[in-house]
Amino acid sequence: MIARIATEISLNKLFDYEVPPEMEASISVGSRVRVSFNNREVMGYVAELVSQPIEELDASPLLPGTPKYRQKLKPILKIVGKQSLITPKVKDLALWMATYYCCSIEVALRSLLPEAVRREREGWKKQLFVRYNVEAPEPKKLTQRQQEILAFIQKHGELPLVDLTEQLSCTADTVRRIERTGKISVAPLKVGRDPYANVQILPTKALTLNQEQAVCLKQITEAMDSSDLATRKPFLLFGVTGSGKTEIYLQAIAHALQKGQGAIVLVPEISLTPQTVERFKSRFAEEPLRAEVAVLHSHLSDGERHDEWHKIRRGDAKIVIGARSAIFAPVDPLGVIIVDEEHEHSYKQEESPRYNARDVAVVRAQMEETVVVLGSATPSMESYYNTSQGKYTLLRLSKRVDDIQMPQVAVVDMCSEIRVDRGIPLFSTRLKEAIRLQLEESRQVILFLNRRGYATQLQCPDCGYVAECTYCSVSMVYHRRAQLLKCHICGHHIQAPYHCPECRKSNIRHSGAGTERVEETLQKLFPQARIRRMDSDTLKKKEDYRNILNAFGAGKIDILLGTQIITKGLHFPRVTLVGILNADISLHRPDFRASERTFQLITQVAGRAGRGTDEGEVIVQTFTPSAPAILYAKHHDYESFYADEIVSRKELHYPPSSRLALLTIRSMDEEKLQLTAQHIREQLDGESFKSIRPLVINGPVPALLERSMGYYRYHILLRTVRMMPLSRKLFELFQSVKCPKGVSFTVDIDPLDLT
Ligand code: ADP
Ligand code: ZN
């Protein structure tokens, strides 16, 4: 028996090793092993097991050019751990992902397993762990080296001491010295930590479904029970906020449990709040449908993540709720996959492998012959298109459960607002009045502005100087409280200048108001109001988010002001007014999805208003009140928006009617970059790509974000109709192109970010 191994060392290849006869019974795909590699012992996982004689082994179809071996294979030294960490089904998913998203198998396998699980060695639990203490005060007087080590620990939250000393080549003594500051602790791993140990779970019972819900659930459970694959098409559950989608998810999961199967629930990271988790835990807290719910999200420490993962792998936790990467959880057998808020862009990973968890969910469901339900109040154009093509089944919930009306949406044309003191006012008269009214009646207000900082631009009116980032082609954002200019791309920051650095005059002006500026104005307009700003500048610790929301829920805040962080899944009955301060920010982005994003934004934000007994009101401020996204959102009319938008997508050959692949080439050396980009273009025009039809190639052209972190960037955009054949070709290209030193090249399939 021969094992093809992906090693921990990042190489774009699988390596073949002999499986000693005594290991044959205990090895399987996904087993972790130790092998000798270039005279070093390294960790690896088994990607494939094959039994043919060596000569007959063909190059793996996924890896063109894998050489046939000449010499005798080396044996596997050892199998680590009793159980393979990847189920064979999930392994197939990784192979699909590598091909489709053009990444190496090793990278794909890597994303299947959390680092904490991958790096696990024997005797893990007996080892010493270093843990970062968030609450402890910042230590003073650390050496540069100690600061580096501390930053590394902070990034990981918690990690084995040996990993730390190995990766940073430092000694345990150095770590112990940092421990004396109290900022970290070194201790054996605690077993079975439960991040929800302090949350009281009160069991809930299934609700009696209304007519519409019952119809939807019936279709889902019938598909789960059916052996006919045709009925198991992915479902798109399209229902306004508060229409009872979550109740359907819960009952579909209950159905899976009754059949002895498990479930995966994906939610966007940001809505993975304790409220959401509690709702799932509560429903499955009691017999006969008692089931443990594992939670996977990015704020878990390595130790916590490790425990959750093993709970799932052992089958102790049948239900997994988590963000993006939870789609790879080793739930087996899997009865249903739920993807809530399927339109959310956070399902897409913006680094390799650049997968979209929603789409991976659809493929996983297909591979495991199980049912997937994508839910949204504002489905993505892609998913809705798929229902019109008969690829997905549309399930519809047309009204809110309790017959509460959808809120009134008023659109204020900012062009007709009087221009006081030169600039454009932040608040229209209408919005100001509405806020005043709410405050008088002790109700709550949510205000939304998708721009943080004080001002997006600092300009000198005398010489025209604009503060731009040294490393990126964007202007720096003024943060008044910190008196800094910050680059929102790379984080570079400098002291905000009082005088123009070019002409030394002191007339410097700012424009483009952000949340910090709005907060200031708001406080002047409503001095009595208790205002809280919520954006990534004010959310420093992981508890901040929850604390602010708790305070808001308890009525200790009158006005909550924030960026998109506040648009998600929050449920506050006393919020009767939601204001969108500047809808044009998202509408005029240079992105073909700008209109769709704006429609989603207004609809989702509007969904926050009037969830209690009082009717809600939404006020949208814009300079383009007649834009379709705004008009249709005003009337809560998704279908008309879709019908309007799909026409232009088709005309311009954009998704969902075409498929996109985006190649990005970057380098600090612009000339080398241009040459490489041109070379890649020639390859794309060559023989090998002739079989892909249709294929439209644009570029190379400088990317919208021409420079980022000191790198120049070029784009080549490809359009086709079926992605997989193009993916295969791009993967070959990706492997064969030898970029000159200092030039790198990435492939993004189904990109969401085109900047
Ligand atoms: P969505 O997920 O579509 O936003 P939810 O499932 O959260 O909607 O439902 C909104 C509210 O209505 C929740 O408080 C939920 O408990 C309640 N609800 C859902 N379905 C029913 C039902 N059939 N009968 C009574 N209340 C329901
Ligand atoms: Zn920058």
PDB file of all heavy atoms in Angstrom, residues 469 471-472 487 489-490, ligand 2:
ATOM      1  N   CYS A 469      -1.652  57.659   1.553  1.00  0.00           N
ATOM      2  CA  CYS A 469      -0.770  56.671   2.182  1.00  0.00           C
ATOM      3  C   CYS A 469       0.485  56.512   1.331  1.00  0.00           C
ATOM      4  O   CYS A 469       0.434  56.540   0.105  1.00  0.00           O
ATOM      5  CB  CYS A 469      -1.475  55.329   2.310  1.00  0.00           C
ATOM      6  SG  CYS A 469      -0.415  54.045   2.988  1.00  0.00           S
ATOM      7  N   TYR A 471       2.137  53.877   1.082  1.00  0.00           N
ATOM      8  CA  TYR A 471       2.243  52.517   0.553  1.00  0.00           C
ATOM      9  C   TYR A 471       1.052  52.093  -0.300  1.00  0.00           C
ATOM     10  O   TYR A 471       1.097  51.081  -0.977  1.00  0.00           O
ATOM     11  CB  TYR A 471       2.389  51.514   1.709  1.00  0.00           C
ATOM     12  CG  TYR A 471       3.492  51.909   2.646  1.00  0.00           C
ATOM     13  CD1 TYR A 471       3.210  52.513   3.866  1.00  0.00           C
ATOM     14  CD2 TYR A 471       4.822  51.705   2.281  1.00  0.00           C
ATOM     15  CE1 TYR A 471       4.232  52.903   4.716  1.00  0.00           C
ATOM     16  CE2 TYR A 471       5.848  52.085   3.121  1.00  0.00           C
ATOM     17  CZ  TYR A 471       5.549  52.688   4.338  1.00  0.00           C
ATOM     18  OH  TYR A 471       6.558  53.076   5.173  1.00  0.00           O
ATOM     19  N   CYS A 472      -0.053  52.857  -0.225  1.00  0.00           N
ATOM     20  CA  CYS A 472      -1.267  52.451  -0.937  1.00  0.00           C
ATOM     21  C   CYS A 472      -1.815  53.643  -1.706  1.00  0.00           C
ATOM     22  O   CYS A 472      -1.605  54.786  -1.301  1.00  0.00           O
ATOM     23  CB  CYS A 472      -2.353  51.972   0.028  1.00  0.00           C
ATOM     24  SG  CYS A 472      -1.748  50.779   1.229  1.00  0.00           S
ATOM     25  N   CYS A 487      -4.255  54.804   7.329  1.00  0.00           N
ATOM     26  CA  CYS A 487      -4.604  54.156   6.074  1.00  0.00           C
ATOM     27  C   CYS A 487      -5.475  52.956   6.412  1.00  0.00           C
ATOM     28  O   CYS A 487      -5.073  52.098   7.191  1.00  0.00           O
ATOM     29  CB  CYS A 487      -3.349  53.690   5.344  1.00  0.00           C
ATOM     30  SG  CYS A 487      -3.729  52.636   3.935  1.00  0.00           S
ATOM     31  N   ILE A 489      -6.261  50.615   4.489  1.00  0.00           N
ATOM     32  CA  ILE A 489      -5.843  49.417   3.762  1.00  0.00           C
ATOM     33  C   ILE A 489      -4.717  48.704   4.518  1.00  0.00           C
ATOM     34  O   ILE A 489      -4.807  47.531   4.819  1.00  0.00           O
ATOM     35  CB  ILE A 489      -5.337  49.770   2.341  1.00  0.00           C
ATOM     36  CG1 ILE A 489      -6.435  50.460   1.537  1.00  0.00           C
ATOM     37  CG2 ILE A 489      -4.797  48.543   1.622  1.00  0.00           C
ATOM     38  CD1 ILE A 489      -7.514  49.562   1.015  1.00  0.00           C
ATOM     39  N   CYS A 490      -3.658  49.439   4.837  1.00  0.00           N
ATOM     40  CA  CYS A 490      -2.487  48.769   5.410  1.00  0.00           C
ATOM     41  C   CYS A 490      -2.265  49.112   6.876  1.00  0.00           C
ATOM     42  O   CYS A 490      -1.409  48.524   7.530  1.00  0.00           O
ATOM     43  CB  CYS A 490      -1.231  49.107   4.609  1.00  0.00           C
ATOM     44  SG  CYS A 490      -0.674  50.802   4.848  1.00  0.00           S
TER      45      CYS A 490
HETATM   46 ZN    ZN B   2      -1.627  52.094   3.207  1.00  0.00          ZN
END
